[in-house]
Amino acid sequence: MQDGSEDRKKSARQGGKRGGRRGNSAPTIGDVAREANCSPMTVSRVINGEGNVREETQELVLAAIRKLKYSPNRAARSLAGGEQLRVALMFDNPSASYLSEFLMGALEEATRNDIHLEVQSCENPGDAAPLVRKLAEGGIKGFILPPPLCDDQALLDLVGELDAVAIAVGPGRATGTHGAVMIDEYQAAYDMTRHIIDLGHERIGFIIGNPEQVASGRRLNGYCAAIEDAGLEPLDELMAQGRFTYRSGMAAAEKLLALDPRPTAIFASNDDMAAATVAVCHRNHLDVPNDITVCGFDDTDMASTIWPELTTVRQPIREMTAWAVTAIARIMRARRTNERLTPEQTILPYTLVRRESDAAPSLVRSSSSGKNGER
């Protein structure tokens, strides 16, 4: 007689962990429930946007969904009365690198939340309002608005008048009537400027972003406050206007580098303009960072694909967009049961990412530019 050990080994090989997933099968709602340490009913409530789940539990469920790459079964959802949501993502952003991050975050989260995402471009300022009306008439009741559309209060008011839902992504300030997700633009710019000052720089140029966006003003204010707090003077000549585009960054950098004495560091309001500044420095035979420090903002792919790689502020663009998609799904599904959720306003953390484009100022004197600065 056998002692049964072989049978137990065979059973273990075939079954694996009890209750666990087998092979490469797609994750189920039960797998998500086990990962989040809750019941399948709770997972179902979170997926369907029902409001009777604690916030901490919702976060655990959403984290489990992301980890397991779980996709809700659309057919089952339809049988349960969960018709697929339709949401419009409207954009008018000249930065291709920012837009790429934004779209990737939205598309990934839309798939997880079983949302049909309609991406719409608004190339002209006057296009946004008529497009919102057209989309709302076509049955779309959810709108995700990145900058600069998120700063258009008239547009946000129109969405409300149409009894639709909007989430503003990166507005620079709370919207009041709609959900919003952002970072502290002021403090992030302050911290980056302070970092440059701590390296020993005193003559620091700043390239301002699009004047039509609230975040641009917040970043400018953060720069000026850090300069003043360090006992330096914020000089108008060290501030050049850009529009968040590569070309505008080139023009602003050329203006700053033509100063006498020129700045020993330039902080641009986004990575596109910072990359353009690096290109202009190279064209003027200036080594980055040995001759001049250049820093950016956003930490898009641009920051790590140019040479030298940029020191920048990491704005969690994908995470912000993913948050927006999840939030709008929760609000829209709650409305189907005549529940009106209070719009959420959240501030996500940013990170100062140091790479290869910053250093202490050079001690070299030049007859044309004077003393550039000391450590």
Side-chain angles (χ1 to χ4, degrees), residues 2 40 72 76 181 227 289 304:
Q2 296 180 343
V181 55
I227 292 290
S304 56

Side-chain angles (χ1 to χ4, degrees), residues 21-269:
R21 291 171 57 195
R22 296 187 179 185
N24 294 319
S25 60
T28 67
I29 196 169
D31 296 323
V32 175
R34 279 187 290 275
E35 181 68 26
N37 196 27
C38 65
S39 70
M41 182 59 72
T42 299
V43 175
S44 178
R45 286 175 180 151
V46 173
I47 291 172
N48 288 287
E50 298 176 19
N52 54 345
V53 181
R54 289 168 48 189
E55 184 176 349
E56 299 92 328
T57 304
Q58 288 182 13
E59 293 300 323
L60 288 172
V61 170
L62 294 174
I65 288 173
R66 286 191 290 270
K67 179 179 177 180
L68 299 177
K69 295 181 171 58
Y70 171 71
S71 179
N73 186 295
R74 184 176 301 169
R77 290 270 298 279
S78 180
L79 289 172
E83 181 184 352
Q84 188 182 29
L85 298 177
R86 297 174 62 206
V87 174
L89 189 158
M90 298 171 58
F91 70 90
D92 174 21
N93 195 304
S95 170
S97 50
Y98 181 97
L99 186 59
S100 175
E101 291 283 308
F102 193 92
L103 289 175
M104 287 301 295
L107 292 170
E108 289 172 0
E109 201 64 23
T111 299
R112 295 189 184 104
N113 282 275
D114 193 32
I115 289 175
H116 172 76
L117 194 65
E118 188 163 331
V119 180
Q120 294 283 345
S121 172
C122 301
E123 296 182 1
N124 301 310
D127 291 345
L131 182 56
V132 165
R133 288 188 181 276
K134 179 181 178 181
L135 292 170
E137 290 170 359
I140 290 180
K141 294 298 182 180
F143 297 88
I144 295 176
L145 305 174
L149 298 175
C150 61
D151 292 320
D152 188 339
Q153 189 58 51
L155 187 64
L156 292 169
D157 291 342
L158 175 61
V159 172
E161 291 168 11
L162 295 170
D163 196 30
V165 178
I167 300 290
V169 181
R173 65 184 174 199
T175 63
T177 55
H178 294 282
V181 55
M182 66 204 87
I183 65 167
D184 188 335
E185 308 275 359
Y186 172 92
Q187 191 62 48
Y190 183 101
D191 289 350
M192 176 58 82
T193 307
R194 186 74 243 186
H195 165 70
I196 297 171
I197 292 170
D198 289 344
L199 288 173
H201 296 275
E202 296 184 355
R203 192 165 170 79
I204 303 168
F206 185 78
I207 302 180
I208 308 167
N210 188 336
E212 298 172 5
Q213 296 185 30
V214 173
S216 296
R218 298 281 291 161
R219 295 176 191 183
L220 173 61
N221 291 341
Y223 158 82
C224 290
I227 292 290
E228 291 177 343
D229 287 352
L232 304 174
E233 185 179 358
L235 302 174
D236 289 342
E237 68 174 17
L238 289 175
M239 305 175 205
Q241 184 65 60
R243 297 194 68 85
F244 285 139
T245 64
Y246 188 91
R247 185 173 294 277
S248 71
M250 292 189 74
E254 288 170 351
K255 177 181 177 181
L256 291 173
L257 292 178
L259 295 173
D260 185 12
R262 63 167 173 78
T264 63
I266 295 177
F267 175 19
S269 288

Side-chain angles (χ1 to χ4, degrees), residues 183 188-189 192 267 271 296-299 311-315 350-353:
I183 65 167
M192 176 58 82
F267 175 19
D271 293 335
F297 201 110
D298 286 338
D299 196 24
T311 291
T312 186
V313 172
R314 181 179 186 273
Q315 180 173 203
Y350 60 85
T351 307
L352 197 157
V353 181

Side-chain angles (χ1 to χ4, degrees), residues 322-353:
W323 184 95
V325 172
T326 301
I328 205 167
R330 186 159 51 243
I331 295 171
M332 293 176 71
R333 290 193 172 110
R335 284 189 169 203
R336 288 179 173 177
T337 59
N338 295 320
E339 182 183 1
R340 296 278 171 157
L341 299 180
T342 302
E344 297 180 67
Q345 313 276 335
T346 190
I347 298 177
L348 297 185
Y350 60 85
T351 307
L352 197 157
V353 181

